[in-house]
Amino acid sequence: MSGTNNGSRRVRLVDVARHAGVSTKTVSNVVHNYQHVTPDMRSRVQKAITDLGYKPNLTARRLVTGKTSMIALAIPETNHPYFSSLADAIVKAAEDRDYRVLIEQTDGDSEKELDVLRDREAGLVDGVIFQPAKVTSLDLAQIQEDTPVVMLGEAASPISFDHIMIDNTAASEVAVKHLIGLGRKRIAFLGDVRGDSAGATKKRLTGYQKGLEDSGLSVDTSLVLQVESFSPESAKVAVQEAIRSGIEFDGLLCRDDRFAVAALQLLRDEGISTPEEIAVIGWDDTVLARYSYPTLTSVSPNIQAIANDAVTMLIERIEGLSGTGRHVLAPYNLHIRESAPAVKA
Amino acid sequence: MSGTNNGSRRVRLVDVARHAGVSTKTVSNVVHNYQHVTPDMRSRVQKAITDLGYKPNLTARRLVTGKTSMIALAIPETNHPYFSSLADAIVKAAEDRDYRVLIEQTDGDSEKELDVLRDREAGLVDGVIFQPAKVTSLDLAQIQEDTPVVMLGEAASPISFDHIMIDNTAASEVAVKHLIGLGRKRIAFLGDVRGDSAGATKKRLTGYQKGLEDSGLSVDTSLVLQVESFSPESAKVAVQEAIRSGIEFDGLLCRDDRFAVAALQLLRDEGISTPEEIAVIGWDDTVLARYSYPTLTSVSPNIQAIANDAVTMLIERIEGLSGTGRHVLAPYNLHIRESAPAVKA
DNA sequence: CGGATAATTTACAACGATGTAAATTTGATT
DNA sequence: AATCAAATTTACATCGTTGTAAATTATCCG
């Protein structure tokens, strides 16, 4: 049997070289498919490699090349439908370009968010794709400027960073107008999250207002439901309180799918029909939207596009591209389902 | 300003040493909080470290210590409610022990699964937590690697590996008996997935049969619904075909939550009420179970326990524990929700 | 205060690969 | 066959850290 390991110790490049009677560099050349190696030599070395079961030591390689071929993806939670599909897409995009992804969970904690960038400084990864939840533009400005970073999401970021996002304001406007197209006049927004500094909610709110005003509807601030935290439970509480206090609405635009499915569940418990009495739209078009009842109409960012752009742009930076940050608007659409169906022709 | 970098080059240990006028080893000692360093020396070095903004190069450290302090988690998909919460739990458990987790997606592809273990490149991680989807015990037995591995899930694995799983047969039995307790007599199983070699389905099926037989019900093989793939769509097709061909049932045990929510959706579309006409139970107790309509009763593996055990056992192996594989049965329970409610007292 | 012991600090060789530049071989041309 | 250029292969330094063992300094005790 070939490739067996007698348990003594790892096989090193130099062991292969000795076994084949050549220099270490030649073995290295074969491993790397360097073109100027004679077929004879190549097969001789190849045989030695399989004979001994040699595996290159990545750590050593990294030390000398200074490249890790790893990128970090920093997201608030792994266990979140949107972020886990984003992670999936990014891992696949990176794989195509021979990079591995180290997924880092920041728990929406600003210290942890900054830690990720420090990882890059420690040489663990070559670059970072970063979707912040808390960190401010100011914090980021202090990061070493030669760290390749691509920002995702809606938070403001220093102009020096590349940044990809969907046009939240425009998307929000599209969603509101869809509800208006269904004849809804009193459209609520769920929800304005307390202490949310990342800015996504603000932009969505802006689009919400713009959409209303554009269509000649007035903005009623009591329809902007305040939510305590990002948990679905607090979204339920917010909707319930609105109902209890007699606030009436026939459309509901939610800042994300989690809030939306929580709202759907609450409305059902309250005996309010969706979409007949209240039409609901979510955001992110996650798996939750497909299996809720009714199925959920949702703003659908093009995750493939975001992931591809993010990886491509990051690798360009890693390979030395300099210059000010590039800002990219990623495509999106409104995925129409039952909770806010298509307007009848 | 301290810690500034003039953009020229990384600060190395030797730079700090020179700046502080001491040897490199002393700096290293300070960095590692080695106890035999005088307070004077410690503060002097510390100052140099912050002055220069020194960050240890992890790659170099790894090369000499031979430890990466990283473990790999190999799962079929990141973008899957069960696996993403498993990943979340494992990342947190590992963090507590100063390990980081590299998540590897195998896409349920046996080549990729083997690659994870074959470890084409060495020194990336210190150990692997591996939940296989395709690979067989036989394949695994042929891998003779020195990287420590802990197996998760139901696939048979060679006795030489540590292995953690829940008792699928018993859990399945509990679920079936819950349905029987609700007075259901004709209980179907969704589904027997074509080409699923990992064994989870088989074990769940065994428990299903055992539960029926134990309660004096006969097993009707037409109630074991065949499913083409793991996609929710094919689960829908299977249930629909069963209904169309006149197969009657009043209980449905599903091999996972995805199948279950797909079934719920289909039953609704067919005008069949849940749980009144058909009570449904899922498996994995994912986020889908909380937001489906009706909410889904589901077999709930204790992910925390699994993650903790997996990380603990793996680290024991990494630290040199030898001996044959340990097999651990993790706790679980049946999370009761609307789709198969509690039995009335 | 001398001598032994313990506490610090240091010099230097690893870790295992790759880059550079020099040494060798091969091939082409006259 | 001699010469020169191109194609292979090699020797050796290097990446930035830590482990070992030796060198130095501080402390203790009779």
Side-chain angles (χ1 to χ4, degrees), chain B residues 51-276:
Chain B
D51 273 2
L52 300 181
Y54 168 71
K55 305 268 164 52
N57 179 317
L58 292 185
T59 304
R61 182 180 291 172
R62 284 173 179 184
L63 179 59
V64 56
T65 61
K67 275 216 46 169
T68 66
S69 295
M70 296 226 298
I71 61 183
L73 170 65
I75 49 180
E77 305 176 59
T78 318
N79 187 20
H80 180 294
Y82 177 72
F83 292 127
S84 68
S85 58
L86 178 66
D88 180 43
I90 285 183
V91 167
K92 287 190 170 124
E95 225 165 52
D96 290 344
R97 296 166 171 83
D98 290 319
Y99 275 82
R100 303 182 109 100
V101 180
L102 184 65
I103 298 171
E104 305 249 21
Q105 187 159 308
T106 59
D107 300 320
D109 178 275
S110 47
E111 265 318 301
K112 284 195 184 174
E113 291 190 334
L114 287 173
D115 275 350
V116 169
L117 298 180
R118 273 199 290 250
D119 215 8
R120 283 200 48 70
E121 293 153 333
L124 189 56
V125 295
D126 297 334
V128 181
I129 297 175
F130 180 30
Q131 171 126 14
K134 276 271 165 42
V135 145
T136 67
S137 184
L138 205 66
D139 294 326
L140 291 172
Q142 302 192 336
I143 305 262
Q144 202 34 58
E145 281 308 330
D146 32 358
T147 304
V149 177
V150 171
M151 306 284 298
L152 299 183
E154 290 65 33
S157 65
I159 43 165
S160 59
F161 288 96
D162 287 340
H163 192 160
I164 301 168
M165 61 178 185
I166 71 170
D167 185 336
N168 274 253
T169 310
S172 195
E173 222 178 308
V174 167
V176 167
K177 286 182 174 164
H178 179 70
L179 290 171
I180 294 172
L182 291 170
R184 311 299 158 132
K185 304 278 184 211
R186 292 189 48 80
I187 297 169
F189 182 89
L190 174 72
D192 192 8
V193 181
R194 199 147 84 130
D196 174 19
S197 52
T201 311
K202 298 284 175 254
K203 287 195 175 160
R204 293 171 193 178
L205 255 174
T206 306
Y208 160 81
Q209 294 187 353
K210 205 143 162 279
L212 292 176
E213 283 163 2
D214 253 34
S215 313
L217 294 178
S218 63
V219 175
D220 177 348
T221 54
S222 72
L223 289 178
V224 176
L225 310 185
Q226 309 294 313
V227 180
E228 273 305 301
S229 79
F230 283 100
S231 79
E233 276 318 304
S234 48
K236 279 193 178 183
V237 169
V239 176
Q240 189 159 45
E241 275 180 8
I243 294 171
R244 292 270 156 85
S245 58
I247 296 172
E248 299 204 341
F249 52 101
D250 51 13
L252 180 64
L253 173 61
C254 305
R255 84 167 292 289
D256 63 30
D257 279 359
R258 280 178 160 182
F259 279 10
V261 294
L264 288 178
Q265 208 162 59
L266 183 97
L267 294 175
R268 199 161 62 230
D269 290 350
E270 296 282 329
I272 297 170
S273 66
T274 315
E276 293 76 10

Side-chain angles (χ1 to χ4, degrees), chain A residues 12-13 25 28 32 54 57 61 64:
Chain A
R12 294 159 307 161
L13 197 57
K25 192 64 215 297
S28 174
H32 286 275
Y54 167 71
N57 180 318
R61 180 181 293 171
V64 58

Side-chain angles (χ1 to χ4, degrees), chain A residues 114 121 136-145 158 161, chain B residues 1 3:
Chain A
L114 288 173
E121 291 169 359
T136 67
S137 186
L138 205 67
D139 295 326
L140 290 172
Q142 303 190 339
I143 298 294
Q144 256 184 52
E145 53 197 51
F161 290 102
Chain B
M1 262 251 152

